[in-house]
Amino acid sequence: TTTTTTTDQQDPSNRVAGELINATDPACVWIGPPHPNSNIRPVICPAVGRETEVRRKFREQQHAVVKWNHEFWLSQNETFTQSRKFYITSKLQETPEKLSLTAQEMSVFYKEFLDKKYREHIEYNQQWYQKNLYLLWLAACVRLEQFTSILQKN
Protein backbone atom coordinates (compact mmCIF):
# COMPACT_ATOMS: atom_id res chain seq x y z
CA THR A 1 0.00 0.00 0.00
CA THR A 2 1.31 3.42 -0.96
CA THR A 3 0.81 6.45 1.24
CA THR A 4 0.29 9.74 -0.54
CA THR A 5 -0.13 13.17 0.98
CA THR A 6 -2.81 15.35 -0.50
CA THR A 7 -3.61 19.00 0.02
CA ASP A 8 -7.11 20.31 0.44
CA GLN A 9 -7.94 23.25 -1.85
CA GLN A 10 -10.96 24.12 0.30
CA ASP A 11 -10.97 25.75 3.71
CA PRO A 12 -9.17 23.14 5.90
CA SER A 13 -11.55 23.73 8.81
CA ASN A 14 -14.33 22.23 6.63
CA ARG A 15 -12.47 18.93 6.19
CA VAL A 16 -13.55 15.91 8.15
CA ALA A 17 -10.87 13.42 9.19
CA GLY A 18 -11.51 10.04 7.66
CA GLU A 19 -13.65 11.49 4.87
CA LEU A 20 -14.10 8.91 2.12
CA ILE A 21 -13.58 9.84 -1.52
CA ASN A 22 -13.12 7.83 -4.69
CA ALA A 23 -9.39 7.81 -5.36
CA THR A 24 -8.27 6.56 -8.74
CA ASP A 25 -5.67 4.11 -7.48
CA PRO A 26 -7.12 1.48 -5.11
CA ALA A 27 -3.63 0.66 -3.84
CA CYS A 28 -3.22 4.22 -2.47
CA VAL A 29 -4.20 5.40 0.95
CA TRP A 30 -4.34 9.19 0.94
CA ILE A 31 -3.24 11.02 4.07
CA GLY A 32 -3.86 14.75 4.22
CA PRO A 33 -2.55 17.56 6.37
CA PRO A 34 -3.72 17.75 9.99
CA HIS A 35 -7.09 19.33 10.67
CA PRO A 36 -6.45 22.80 12.16
CA ASN A 37 -8.55 22.13 15.29
CA SER A 38 -8.42 18.39 15.96
CA ASN A 39 -4.82 17.92 14.66
CA ILE A 40 -5.95 14.60 13.17
CA ARG A 41 -4.87 13.85 9.61
CA PRO A 42 -7.64 12.78 7.24
CA VAL A 43 -7.12 9.26 5.91
CA ILE A 44 -8.80 8.35 2.65
CA CYS A 45 -9.09 4.64 1.93
CA PRO A 46 -10.59 3.99 -1.50
CA ALA A 47 -12.86 1.07 -2.22
CA VAL A 48 -11.20 -1.67 -4.25
CA GLY A 49 -13.01 -3.13 -7.27
CA ARG A 50 -14.79 -6.39 -6.44
CA GLU A 51 -14.12 -5.77 -2.78
CA THR A 52 -14.73 -8.74 -0.50
CA GLU A 53 -17.04 -8.44 2.48
CA VAL A 54 -14.11 -8.58 4.91
CA ARG A 55 -12.15 -5.92 2.99
CA ARG A 56 -15.23 -3.65 2.86
CA LYS A 57 -15.81 -4.13 6.60
CA PHE A 58 -12.15 -3.29 7.30
CA ARG A 59 -12.27 -0.13 5.14
CA GLU A 60 -15.53 1.07 6.70
CA GLN A 61 -14.31 0.35 10.25
CA GLN A 62 -11.05 2.17 9.52
CA HIS A 63 -13.07 5.17 8.33
CA ALA A 64 -15.27 5.02 11.45
CA VAL A 65 -12.26 4.92 13.80
CA VAL A 66 -10.56 7.89 12.14
CA LYS A 67 -13.81 9.86 12.20
CA TRP A 68 -14.43 8.97 15.88
CA ASN A 69 -10.86 10.00 16.77
CA HIS A 70 -11.24 13.29 14.87
CA GLU A 71 -14.54 14.11 16.61
CA PHE A 72 -13.13 13.32 20.06
CA TRP A 73 -10.06 15.52 19.62
CA LEU A 74 -12.03 18.29 17.93
CA SER A 75 -14.29 18.45 20.98
CA GLN A 76 -11.40 18.13 23.46
CA ASN A 77 -9.31 20.82 21.79
CA GLU A 78 -12.24 23.24 21.53
CA THR A 79 -13.06 22.72 25.22
CA PHE A 80 -9.40 23.19 26.13
CA THR A 81 -9.08 26.40 24.10
CA GLN A 82 -12.27 27.90 25.57
CA SER A 83 -11.33 26.89 29.13
CA ARG A 84 -7.82 28.29 28.76
CA LYS A 85 -9.15 31.57 27.36
CA PHE A 86 -11.64 31.88 30.25
CA TYR A 87 -8.93 31.07 32.81
CA ILE A 88 -6.48 33.63 31.42
CA THR A 89 -9.14 36.33 31.20
CA SER A 90 -10.37 35.74 34.74
CA LYS A 91 -6.84 35.68 36.21
CA LEU A 92 -5.83 38.86 34.39
CA GLN A 93 -8.98 40.62 35.65
CA GLU A 94 -7.96 39.76 39.22
CA THR A 95 -4.74 41.72 38.79
CA PRO A 96 -5.28 44.46 36.16
CA GLU A 97 -1.61 45.54 36.14
CA LYS A 98 -0.60 42.13 34.70
CA LEU A 99 -0.42 41.69 30.92
CA SER A 100 0.13 37.93 30.85
CA LEU A 101 0.37 34.87 33.04
CA THR A 102 3.58 33.07 33.92
CA ALA A 103 4.25 29.45 33.03
CA GLN A 104 3.86 28.64 36.73
CA GLU A 105 0.39 30.23 36.80
CA MET A 106 -0.63 28.43 33.60
CA SER A 107 0.56 25.11 35.02
CA VAL A 108 -2.23 25.38 37.61
CA PHE A 109 -4.77 25.57 34.78
CA TYR A 110 -3.21 22.66 32.88
CA LYS A 111 -3.24 20.42 35.95
CA GLU A 112 -6.85 21.32 36.82
CA PHE A 113 -7.96 20.75 33.23
CA LEU A 114 -6.27 17.35 33.00
CA ASP A 115 -7.61 16.33 36.40
CA LYS A 116 -11.15 17.23 35.28
CA LYS A 117 -10.74 15.26 32.05
CA TYR A 118 -8.91 12.28 33.56
CA ARG A 119 -11.84 9.82 33.50
CA GLU A 120 -12.81 10.93 29.99
CA HIS A 121 -9.26 10.32 28.73
CA ILE A 122 -9.11 6.91 30.38
CA GLU A 123 -12.36 5.94 28.63
CA TYR A 124 -11.04 7.33 25.33
CA ASN A 125 -7.85 5.27 25.64
CA GLN A 126 -9.80 2.09 26.42
CA GLN A 127 -12.08 2.63 23.42
CA TRP A 128 -9.12 3.54 21.21
CA TYR A 129 -7.36 0.27 22.07
CA GLN A 130 -10.52 -1.78 21.50
CA LYS A 131 -11.21 -0.14 18.15
CA ASN A 132 -7.63 -0.55 16.97
CA LEU A 133 -7.38 -4.16 18.10
CA TYR A 134 -10.52 -4.85 16.11
CA LEU A 135 -8.92 -3.10 13.11
CA LEU A 136 -5.85 -5.31 13.52
CA TRP A 137 -8.09 -8.37 13.57
CA LEU A 138 -9.87 -7.26 10.39
CA ALA A 139 -6.53 -6.45 8.71
CA ALA A 140 -5.27 -9.93 9.57
CA CYS A 141 -8.48 -11.42 8.13
CA VAL A 142 -7.99 -9.42 4.91
CA ARG A 143 -4.39 -10.65 4.61
CA LEU A 144 -5.43 -14.23 5.29
CA GLU A 145 -8.13 -13.92 2.65
CA GLN A 146 -5.56 -12.56 0.16
CA PHE A 147 -3.13 -15.34 1.01
CA THR A 148 -5.73 -18.09 0.56
CA SER A 149 -6.81 -16.50 -2.72
CA ILE A 150 -3.22 -16.71 -3.99
CA LEU A 151 -2.92 -20.33 -2.87
CA GLN A 152 -6.18 -21.25 -4.64
CA LYS A 153 -4.91 -19.73 -7.89
CA ASN A 154 -1.80 -21.94 -7.78
Side-chain angles (χ1 to χ4, degrees), residues 143-154:
R143 289 295 184 198
L144 182 61
E145 194 174 65
Q146 291 170 339
F147 180 69
T148 56
S149 174
I150 291 170
L151 288 179
Q152 288 174 354
K153 287 180 184 176
N154 292 337

Side-chain angles (χ1 to χ4, degrees), residues 7 11 25 30 39-40 44 50 56 58 60 69 75 79 91 94 96-97 110 116 121 128 134 138-139 148 152-153:
T7 57
D11 178 11
D25 183 0
W30 293 72
N39 294 318
I40 301 298
I44 300 159
R50 287 190 265 154
R56 182 192 56 76
F58 172 67
E60 289 173 351
N69 198 32
S75 172
T79 302
K91 288 295 179 186
E94 290 174 7
E97 65 277 357
Y110 297 134
K116 262 193 275 185
H121 286 167
W128 187 88
Y134 183 56
L138 289 174
T148 56
Q152 288 174 354
K153 287 180 184 176

Side-chain angles (χ1 to χ4, degrees), residues 42-62:
V43 178
I44 300 159
C45 306
V48 179
R50 287 190 265 154
E51 190 172 50
T52 66
E53 182 67 24
V54 174
R55 175 73 173 96
R56 182 192 56 76
K57 194 171 186 178
F58 172 67
R59 180 179 49 81
E60 289 173 351
Q61 184 64 25
Q62 191 175 27

Side-chain angles (χ1 to χ4, degrees), residues 100-115:
S100 63
L101 299 180
T102 65
Q104 181 87 18
E105 292 168 315
M106 287 305 297
S107 70
V108 172
F109 163 75
Y110 297 134
K111 171 142 179 33
E112 287 174 0
F113 184 83
L114 289 174
D115 287 348

Side-chain angles (χ1 to χ4, degrees), residues 32-141:
H35 186 276
N37 298 328
S38 72
N39 294 318
I40 301 298
R41 292 180 176 274
V43 178
I44 300 159
C45 306
V48 179
R50 287 190 265 154
E51 190 172 50
T52 66
E53 182 67 24
V54 174
R55 175 73 173 96
R56 182 192 56 76
K57 194 171 186 178
F58 172 67
R59 180 179 49 81
E60 289 173 351
Q61 184 64 25
Q62 191 175 27
H63 167 70
V65 170
V66 171
K67 186 176 179 186
W68 168 82
N69 198 32
H70 165 75
E71 289 169 357
F72 175 84
W73 286 110
L74 185 64
S75 172
Q76 286 297 303
N77 292 344
E78 286 174 355
T79 302
F80 174 81
T81 301
Q82 290 170 357
S83 298
R84 183 180 62 194
K85 189 175 186 179
F86 177 78
Y87 179 83
I88 291 170
T89 303
S90 64
K91 288 295 179 186
L92 290 177
Q93 285 176 352
E94 290 174 7
T95 52
E97 65 277 357
K98 278 185 123 175
L99 297 175
S100 63
L101 299 180
T102 65
Q104 181 87 18
E105 292 168 315
M106 287 305 297
S107 70
V108 172
F109 163 75
Y110 297 134
K111 171 142 179 33
E112 287 174 0
F113 184 83
L114 289 174
D115 287 348
K116 262 193 275 185
K117 296 291 185 174
Y118 180 77
R119 173 62 31 214
E120 197 172 332
H121 286 167
I122 292 293
E123 290 171 11
Y124 164 80
N125 282 338
Q126 289 171 341
Q127 289 179 30
W128 187 88
Y129 280 111
Q130 289 172 348
K131 290 174 186 291
N132 281 281
L133 284 172
Y134 183 56
L135 276 178
L136 282 172
W137 169 254
L138 289 174
C141 290

